[in-house]
Amino acid sequence: MKTKLTLFVCLLLTAESIYAQQNKTIQIDNNWTFLLGAAQGAEQPAFNDSSWRKIDLPHDWSIEDLKGTHSPFNEYAISQVSGGFTTGGTGWYRKAFLIPAEDKGKKIFIQFDGVYMNADVWINGHHLGNHPYGYTSFIFDLTDYLKYDSSNVIAVEVKNEGQNSRWYSGSGIYRHVWLKKMDPVHVSQWGIFITTPKVNSSEATINCKSNVVNETNQPQAIRVVTTFINPAGTEVAAANEAKSTLLVGKSYEFNQNASIKNPQLWSCESPVLYKAITSVYKNDHLVSSDTNSFGIRTISFDVNNGFRLNGKTLKLKGGCFHNDNGPLGSKQYDRAEERKVELLKASGFNAIRCSHNPPSRAFLDACDRLGMLVMDEAFDCWNYGKNPYDYHLYFKEWWKKDVESMVLRDRNHPSIIMWSIGNEIPERASAEGVATAKLLVDYIESLDTTRAITSAVNDLKEDKDPYFAQLDVAGYNYAASGDPSNDVYAKDHKRVPGRIMVGTESFPLEAFDSWMKVLDHPYVIGDFVWTAYDYIGEASIGWLGYFQKQKFFPWNLAYCGDIDICGWKRPQSYYRDALWKKDQLSLFVTPPVPSFPENPEKESWSKWNWLDAQSNWNWEGYENKAIEVTVYSSCSRVELFLNGKSLGTKTTNRSTKYMASWKVPYQKGELKAVGYDANNKIINSAQLTTASTPEKIKLTADRSTIKANNEDLSYVTVELLDAKGNLNPTAENLVKFEIVGPGTIAGVGNANPISLESYQEPQRKAWRGKCMVIIKSGTSSGTVKLTATSAGMSPVSISIEAH
């Protein structure tokens, strides 16, 4: 039996003055403390935590190097292959802060956006409560236990114990934490709900419901005023003023309507956002003001037109993703979440399935701003678990609170078009599962009737019909088979013609068949590949496949994403370009020996892998031996050249699955593919060049200016080039980093799925010629200078400005 690793995280006892302003929400991510180990009495304010690590949030201890090592990975970790051989445990967080005396009479709350998992929270030694689920936000009222003009201590115990997840979850307070100060008469948590019940090109009707609570000791005359602001900052409408008298300890939902003339509609191409400012007056004195963004748009679902956004049918080019941010672990900095959406949008995705849990608020905000549609999913299991210590232990007591947290928090996001009640629920084929599905659906509809409800289902047989009957949209996992004669969608449509379907998961290897079925069937509204973005955990499903085993170590990444953990496109993403976009062309080589050792025990149905393909024309030792070269193309035809000599032209279209292949006797030099349109005009090209020994380092930052807010990020790609400037795809040199100025290295990576290197040390080996370093700002403005060095190469620097 392995010794259980115990971890504790705590908060800094040097009291921090939070605010003396009225009705403010303050992020309190800075100046916490952390301890790895047991700490009896850590919930008490007098506990001495002076020897603990000083940290800032978000924080994930599972991505940190294990004690005495230079790696976060342990072959014998409890999480095993599912968690990418990373370590969980138990931890404590503590933070001390001051509340000024003038805040007496206000209501003070603390909000946690996400803690993995099973969090217990104390204020000044008083136990506020427990929150088991690691993916929903929660709030506690601190008011009755605070000391004014004196130190207050928040303590949080986090327990990520046992096998409780099928993927890498991370451990700790990995999202933001907020302090909220409010008048005793205020809008309740997530108490504002904005809808657009009638929309056309000339006018949009806006409905705003505001739940206001009276926590004073006497009835209060309340007036609510809501105004609407367009993207230019101009007030364009005001709702009817609403009044009511609130009794002591009671809440009331104010219902207001307004019309906006000539509205700008929210869409994927033009994600226009308005703001609603809701002001609450008590005896004509302003006591609360809340601002919420929203979009004006219509959505609908039916078997004949599929999914329609603003009246136009739109096929969902979807992908699934898990919670982590690669080299950062599960730490969900706003920029990391935004960048993920940017990269997916740039690769052609217009829809994301948040599998299998609600995402961060920052992720949804980015989807709103950038025009990405979202399927917001609640759970991976209900009453019956998939691991001994997962959410099934808490479902009966907590499902309603967690559904409420998801729906109330997220329902103003125009990006969200569907709620999902669960993924591959074990009891989905039973009467008990059907009853639970109805319970969840009914409760969601009591909170929001403006979106469709779905659930992802595998093992697609007729015994799932009662379960599907509870849903607006039936989620099909792995419906494509690659066999045109075995069309599950078509068979089910014939049997249940009113069923709207969506491919909630599909294999990368069946990308063509999955997408063709979406195009061919109007009742199939889209397809979500597993996965859009690679992740830690479920190690090697994209190579060694299922069933997963402990002997798969040192594999720690899934290796199945269209985009790898550093944010670089993988070959399957380029293939999807050919499926989704016009005039696309990319060039790949099947290596003469497999990229990794293969698994002879791999199940035939396990197709999370893609073809073994590399952007590499460096095959010394294989001269004149035939190597397979494949072009992914949506051009009418493609021509391949080796050192200027044509190797022939081939057609690429649906009949060829948008691929063309050649057997090419290897010669060093330049391999080039040229794409032509139907009129024989060159419209695209791609080339691979044999690279020499790397002689120089190239640094490229995705952002040259970042905010000095202690959490903004710049992702720096490191490339190893030969003397002519060609990337050497075989280079695995160690690159060391040094940083000077008001910033730190938040993470390093290279996307190698079997690398056991540290994600936090200031160095990383290249893999396929590249690695990455992530710079995080501090609290001061200035120039952050990153210098990269590698043996035999001159140092190279890049500067990032923090403001």
Side-chain angles (χ1 to χ4, degrees):
M1 179 180 295
K2 300 297 171 187
T3 302
K4 183 185 293 184
L5 182 62
T6 306
L7 307 118
F8 281 88
V9 193
C10 104
L11 273 172
L12 188 64
L13 271 181
T14 301
E16 177 181 5
S17 182
I18 299 300
Y19 50 65
Q21 303 145 305
Q22 184 169 343
N23 302 313
K24 292 291 183 180
T25 298
I26 307 296
Q27 185 175 302
I28 57 167
D29 287 352
N30 297 342
N31 302 323
W32 296 66
T33 58
F34 173 84
L35 175 71
L36 181 62
Q40 186 175 357
E43 75 279 6
Q44 297 301 323
F47 182 87
N48 182 4
D49 61 7
S50 61
S51 63
W52 293 14
R53 280 176 53 197
K54 309 301 186 286
I55 65 163
D56 298 323
L57 305 179
H59 178 246
D60 171 17
W61 73 68
S62 291
I63 203 66
E64 297 177 346
D65 293 347
L66 296 170
K67 186 175 182 180
T69 75
H70 299 278
S71 173
F73 304 110
N74 174 9
E75 183 176 2
Y76 303 103
I78 292 173
S79 71
Q80 279 297 288
V81 66
S82 295
F85 300 98
T86 58
T87 300
T90 295
W92 281 85
Y93 294 81
R94 289 169 50 93
K95 182 177 180 66
F97 57 93
L98 293 174
I99 299 291
E102 57 261 39
D103 284 337
K104 286 184 178 179
K106 300 296 183 183
K107 299 291 293 184
I108 313 293
F109 300 87
I110 189 167
Q111 177 181 313
F112 295 86
D113 284 354
V115 181
Y116 200 88
M117 58 174 284
N118 211 349
D120 282 279
V121 183
W122 290 262
I123 177 68
N124 295 330
H126 176 83
H127 187 240
L128 296 168
N130 170 266
H131 187 83
Y133 196 31
Y135 298 110
T136 48
S137 301
F138 57 99
I139 190 167
F140 289 116
D141 186 348
L142 306 181
T143 310
D144 292 343
Y145 313 104
L146 291 173
K147 296 180 288 184
Y148 294 88
D149 283 343
S150 183
S151 178
N152 296 275
V153 178
I154 283 282
V156 185
E157 184 186 26
V158 183
K159 300 176 288 295
N160 180 8
E161 297 286 1
Q163 289 183 307
N164 57 58
S165 179
R166 296 188 302 111
W167 56 89
Y168 177 83
S169 63
S171 302
I173 305 178
Y174 66 97
R175 293 178 183 165
H176 297 308
V177 181
W178 311 85
L179 272 181
K180 296 187 170 189
K181 180 178 69 170
M182 302 178 182
D183 189 271
V185 174
H186 57 269
V187 175
S188 63
Q189 177 77 344
W190 308 310
I192 293 176
F193 184 24
I194 304 162
T195 57
T196 55
K198 294 182 180 179
V199 177
N200 56 49
S201 59
S202 60
E203 185 178 24
T205 300
I206 314 298
N207 177 258
C208 182
K209 294 182 174 66
S210 304
N211 188 274
V212 179
V213 60
N214 176 16
E215 296 192 71
T216 70
N217 58 6
Q218 58 186 357
Q220 301 289 344
I222 303 302
R223 179 166 58 95
V224 175
V225 176
T226 301
T227 56
F228 299 94
I229 312 299
N230 70 10
T234 303
E235 181 179 322
V236 291
N240 54 301
E241 189 173 283
K243 298 180 180 180
S244 184
T245 298
L246 270 65
L247 299 178
V248 175
K250 300 297 183 180
S251 64
Y252 181 79
E253 187 173 80
F254 292 83
N255 195 336
Q256 299 175 284
N257 293 289
S259 294
I260 295 178
K261 303 296 183 182
N262 304 312
Q264 301 176 65
L265 301 189
W266 187 96
S267 67
C268 296
E269 298 75 26
S270 180
V272 176
L273 294 172
Y274 288 77
K275 291 181 180 178
I277 301 175
T278 301
S279 301
V280 178
Y281 294 84
K282 178 178 66 177
N283 298 322
D284 290 328
H285 175 66
L286 179 65
V287 295
S288 175
S289 181
D290 291 81
T291 301
N292 286 271
S293 295
F294 69 99
I296 300 173
R297 52 100 173 112
T298 64
I299 59 174
S300 64
F301 303 79
D302 67 78
V303 293
N304 297 317
N305 299 289
F307 167 71
R308 287 189 287 182
L309 177 63
N310 300 324
K312 298 178 181 179
T313 295
L314 179 65
K315 293 293 189 179
L316 302 181
K317 298 173 179 177
C320 305
F321 79 100
H322 271 318
N323 193 57
D324 72 82
N325 278 307
L328 300 172
S330 65
K331 290 181 285 189
Q332 297 191 341
Y333 297 106
D334 291 0
R335 173 55 190 163
E337 300 290 85
E338 178 185 60
R339 177 178 181 262
K340 189 164 15 184
V341 180
E342 287 177 352
L343 294 172
L344 293 172
K345 189 82 185 284
S347 289
F349 290 92
N350 64 17
I352 291 296
R353 174 179 172 226
C354 303
S355 41
H356 306 292
N357 47 262
S360 71
R361 186 177 64 176
F363 182 86
L364 295 175
D365 287 344
C367 290
D368 290 345
R369 290 193 306 271
L370 299 172
M372 181 70 77
L373 301 171
V374 175
M375 180 191 298
D376 200 348
E377 190 158 83
F379 307 119
D380 190 45
C381 66
W382 297 343
N383 289 302
Y384 300 91
K386 300 175 181 179
N387 276 293
Y389 298 98
D390 64 17
Y391 187 72
H392 81 279
L393 299 176
Y394 312 103
F395 179 79
K396 285 184 179 179
E397 180 181 353
W398 282 91
W399 73 264
K400 184 175 284 190
K401 298 172 188 174
D402 288 322
V403 165
E404 187 174 286
S405 176
M406 176 182 78
V407 176
L408 294 188
R409 187 198 69 166
D410 297 349
R411 61 187 177 176
N412 289 327
H413 289 281
S415 55
I416 297 175
I417 59 171
M418 283 183 278
W419 305 113
S420 171
I421 58 175
N423 171 68
E424 298 182 352
I425 299 301
E427 61 265 40
R428 62 196 177 278
S430 70
E432 179 185 4
V434 172
T436 303
K438 185 178 188 307
L439 201 64
L440 289 164
V441 168
D442 288 348
Y443 190 58
I444 290 176
E445 289 180 341
S446 75
L447 302 174
D448 176 27
T449 59
T450 69
R451 295 171 173 88
I453 300 176
T454 188
S455 180
V457 175
N458 63 337
D459 191 23
L460 298 164
K461 300 175 183 176
E462 292 184 27
D463 60 352
K464 312 304 184 305
D465 284 354
Y467 185 90
F468 278 141
Q470 309 305 312
L471 309 172
D472 300 308
V473 177
Y476 278 46
N477 281 8
Y478 309 107
S481 65
D483 179 3
S485 66
N486 183 24
D487 189 337
V488 174
Y489 290 126
K491 289 179 180 178
D492 278 9
H493 176 66
K494 183 176 181 180
R495 198 169 51 78
V496 191
R499 181 180 292 172
I500 306 164
M501 309 174 201
V502 62
T504 34
E505 289 181 25
S506 63
F507 291 119
L509 205 56
E510 294 179 346
F512 174 81
D513 189 44
S514 297
W515 188 243
M516 293 305 106
K517 286 179 167 56
V518 171
L519 295 180
D520 293 345
H521 302 319
Y523 48 85
V524 180
I525 64 174
D527 176 70
F528 291 76
V529 65
W530 192 271
T531 58
Y533 216 98
D534 207 18
Y535 56 98
I536 305 170
E538 284 194 295
S540 79
I541 66 167
W543 187 268
L544 300 178
Y546 262 71
F547 290 98
Q548 294 192 291
K549 299 177 181 179
Q550 191 267 349
K551 68 180 182 179
F552 287 0
F553 188 84
W555 281 85
N556 50 76
L557 302 182
Y559 202 59
C560 63
D562 272 30
I563 298 173
D564 68 28
I565 65 163
C566 290
W568 303 320
K569 287 167 71 76
R570 297 181 63 229
Q572 66 200 57
S573 180
Y574 288 97
Y575 179 66
R576 209 171 302 280
D577 287 345
L579 292 180
W580 285 351
K581 304 176 185 179
K582 295 181 179 179
D583 303 335
Q584 299 296 303
L585 184 146
S586 54
L587 177 62
F588 291 93
V589 175
T590 302
V593 294
S595 294
F596 304 98
E598 297 177 325
N599 177 19
E601 300 174 350
K602 179 182 175 182
E603 297 291 330
S604 60
W605 51 263
S606 180
K607 301 177 184 178
W608 287 280
N609 59 293
W610 182 244
L611 305 172
D612 190 5
Q614 295 185 24
S615 298
N616 183 353
W617 198 238
N618 277 58
W619 302 108
E620 184 178 355
Y622 290 89
E623 285 76 11
N624 298 317
K625 294 182 180 178
I627 295 179
E628 185 172 17
V629 175
T630 302
V631 176
Y632 309 149
S633 166
S634 56
C635 305
S636 294
R637 63 187 186 89
V638 294
E639 187 173 10
L640 189 67
F641 296 86
L642 178 61
N643 295 327
K645 179 182 179 181
S646 176
L647 302 181
T649 302
K650 296 189 178 184
T651 299
T652 50
N653 54 32
R654 180 167 178 167
S655 68
T656 69
K657 298 185 177 181
Y658 301 98
M659 291 185 181
S661 294
W662 287 260
K663 293 288 188 179
V664 180
Y666 175 69
Q667 297 174 15
K668 68 179 182 179
E670 182 187 72
L671 188 68
K672 184 176 182 178
V674 176
Y676 302 90
D677 66 11
N679 297 316
N680 208 35
K681 178 183 176 182
I682 295 176
I683 53 176
N684 209 337
S685 64
Q687 52 274 333
L688 298 174
T689 302
T690 305
S692 301
T693 301
E695 295 187 10
K696 53 187 176 180
I697 303 169
K698 179 182 178 182
L699 302 180
T700 306
D702 72 332
R703 299 160 82 219
S704 59
T705 302
I706 57 179
K707 297 176 183 177
N709 59 4
N710 205 34
E711 69 164 85
D712 205 6
L713 305 174
S714 180
Y715 286 75
V716 180
T717 297
V718 182
E719 297 175 285
L720 302 184
L721 312 180
D722 68 9
K724 295 181 179 180
N726 299 309
L727 177 75
N728 188 312
T730 67
E732 297 189 355
N733 306 53
L734 178 66
V735 184
K736 296 184 177 182
F737 306 107
E738 180 181 353
I739 194 166
V740 176
T744 57
I745 293 175
V748 295
N750 60 13
N752 183 347
I754 62 173
S755 171
L756 299 177
E757 297 170 89
S758 170
Y759 283 114
Q760 299 193 313
E761 291 187 345
Q763 62 179 36
R764 191 76 181 202
K765 288 182 179 179
W767 186 61
R768 295 185 174 172
K770 296 194 293 184
C771 60
M772 170 167 283
V773 58
I774 305 168
I775 295 174
K776 183 176 79 71
S777 65
T779 57
S780 302
S781 298
T783 300
V784 182
K785 182 180 179 182
L786 174 73
T787 301
T789 60
S790 187
M793 302 182 213
S794 299
V796 174
S797 298
I798 192 170
S799 293
I800 309 296
E801 296 300 320
H803 298 293

